[in-house]
Amino acid sequence: SMLGAGIYGLIGQAAGIAGNAIWLSFLVALVTALLTGLSYASLGSRYPRAGGTAYIVERAFNKPAMGFLVGVCMMASAFIGIPTLAKIFSQNFAALFEWGDYSLPFITVGFLFLLGVVCYRGIRESMWVNILCCCVEAGGLIFVVVSGASHWGSIDYLAVPPPTESVMGLGVVFSAVMASTVFTFFAFIGFEDVMNVAEEAKDPQRTLPFGLLTAMGVVAILYIAVAITAVSVVPWEQLAESKTPLTDVIKVTAASVPHQVFTIIALFAITNTILVNYVTASRLLYGMARQGLLPAALGRVHGTRRTPHVAIGVLLIVLVGLQFAGGIEQLASATVLLLLFVFVVVNIALIVLTHREGKIDGWVDMGAVKRFREEEDRKMKPLAGDAKACLLYTSDAADE
């Protein structure tokens, strides 16, 4: 989820502010993101339930309105981000095959419908598609690093743009790095999605923290290596002006590679990001319905596929409708503020829950997990004879 489409354009924007020190911006951004990532790892492993953030906030503050507000913020982020990225996908897809603008609405709607089918099929199928897309993305970034590795060490990696004010010594580097961290921080956005699918993971108390923190570490190494390679090959001034900075790097390090290759990689990157948001948004709708924050119909689970098929269908209808609403791109920056608000609330919720329900032993207090499951069973039995039938699991976990 973190290894999304943003890195392919983000490098240029951040380089325009931090210059050759962009790699430091990614390092600072990692530390910043890791603080909240640890909170998500602790809470997600302790309360593995669909609806993730909305459920945890409601539990922490005992106020359904707070859970509803946070859930709406997360949903708004998906409703803004998915249509925006779907339009970018259709534009790149049409350009790749030299189709006219008339084809864009058909490509966008067909693309969203196809991802809806994958989401409906099951969590396992969705994750395999994500893994495929992620490998293609990572392969593209690794190729950038390998092809440009011979240029490493050719520049001063602490050189930054001239300051707008009179700042001497390390103050110049520090101010430039901190300013560009605003951009690089959002290259790590995506770790928050893990909580919405924790309920469908096997042994989430162990696998969720391990997967989340390992992913953040791998992504950070890739991003820092790509940043060092980019400024080593192409001057930061040129990267800042480019719409396709990594393509410009490849033109220097591997001129024989067709430029269409990175267009195809970008398509996989966008697919990855949208599908992750599609899956997690449908689980958020499902989880909020189980909490009584949304209509109960959204909490239905398909008898065979074990997916929240009603939530997926409603989500598809809304996303297709937003394609024709117009003005979505102007709202994209609002997702930044929405997610920052959610992160602040989640960190506060961790403190509240830890003081109220006991300190987390390692990643999770297994006694707290047992009490949580017993409490959830009591809540669910009035709604259905078998509490487990209401929960989302893969077929193997259901057998267990």
Side-chain angles (χ1 to χ4, degrees), residues 8 88-89 91-97 136 244 247 258-270:
Y8 286 88
I88 296 173
F89 178 93
Q91 291 167 359
N92 280 272
F93 192 88
L96 185 64
F97 294 97
V136 173
T244 55
T247 301
H259 69 275
Q260 290 89 346
V261 170
F262 265 80
T263 301
I264 295 173
I265 292 175
L267 293 177
F268 277 94
I270 295 170

Side-chain angles (χ1 to χ4, degrees), residues 251-283:
K251 287 179 180 178
V252 176
T253 60
S256 60
V257 176
H259 69 275
Q260 290 89 346
V261 170
F262 265 80
T263 301
I264 295 173
I265 292 175
L267 293 177
F268 277 94
I270 295 170
T271 301
N272 184 36
T273 303
I274 293 179
L275 184 55
V276 166
N277 280 276
Y278 212 133
V279 170
T280 55
S282 64
R283 270 58 178 179

Side-chain angles (χ1 to χ4, degrees), residues 95-147:
L96 185 64
F97 294 97
E98 298 181 351
W99 293 349
D101 291 344
Y102 68 89
S103 64
L104 297 182
F106 300 100
I107 296 173
T108 303
V109 173
F111 177 58
L112 288 174
F113 180 79
L114 179 61
L115 293 187
V117 171
V118 174
C119 190
Y120 163 78
R121 280 286 300 172
I123 188 66
R124 184 181 286 110
E125 291 82 353
S126 299
M127 292 301 99
W128 274 115
V129 173
N130 278 130
I131 290 171
L132 170 63
C133 293
C134 190
C135 289
V136 173
E137 289 179 78
L141 296 177
I142 292 171
F143 180 77
V144 169
V145 174
V146 172
S147 64

Side-chain angles (χ1 to χ4, degrees), residues 233-234 238-239 242-253:
V233 175
V234 179
Q238 186 177 335
L239 289 174
S242 175
K243 293 183 179 179
T244 55
L246 293 188
T247 301
D248 291 349
V249 173
I250 291 299
K251 287 179 180 178
V252 176
T253 60

Side-chain angles (χ1 to χ4, degrees), residues 224-374:
I224 292 171
V226 168
I228 292 174
T229 303
V231 294
S232 298
V233 175
V234 179
W236 65 262
E237 297 91 343
Q238 186 177 335
L239 289 174
E241 297 295 328
S242 175
K243 293 183 179 179
T244 55
L246 293 188
T247 301
D248 291 349
V249 173
I250 291 299
K251 287 179 180 178
V252 176
T253 60
S256 60
V257 176
H259 69 275
Q260 290 89 346
V261 170
F262 265 80
T263 301
I264 295 173
I265 292 175
L267 293 177
F268 277 94
I270 295 170
T271 301
N272 184 36
T273 303
I274 293 179
L275 184 55
V276 166
N277 280 276
Y278 212 133
V279 170
T280 55
S282 64
R283 270 58 178 179
L284 180 58
L285 284 174
Y286 163 82
M288 291 178 68
R290 281 201 322 182
Q291 291 172 243
L293 302 178
L294 290 176
L298 294 171
R300 294 177 183 170
V301 179
H302 193 275
T304 304
R305 304 312 314 169
R306 309 304 302 158
T307 53
H309 59 296
V310 176
I312 292 170
V314 170
L315 188 59
L316 175 60
I317 293 171
V318 172
L319 293 175
V320 170
L322 288 172
Q323 293 303 308
F324 304 98
I328 296 297
E329 293 84 351
Q330 287 71 30
L331 296 174
S333 60
T335 61
V336 170
L337 296 177
L338 293 175
L339 287 175
L340 283 178
F341 167 72
V342 171
F343 291 163
V344 171
V345 174
V346 167
N347 282 301
I348 295 173
L350 174 63
I351 297 172
V352 172
L353 288 170
T354 301
H355 280 80
R356 183 200 302 157
E357 302 184 5
K359 186 176 180 181
I360 297 174
D361 183 14
W363 285 116
V364 63
D365 178 354
M366 293 309 297
V369 171
K370 182 180 179 181
R371 292 191 298 273
F372 165 73
R373 287 175 172 168
E374 291 173 349

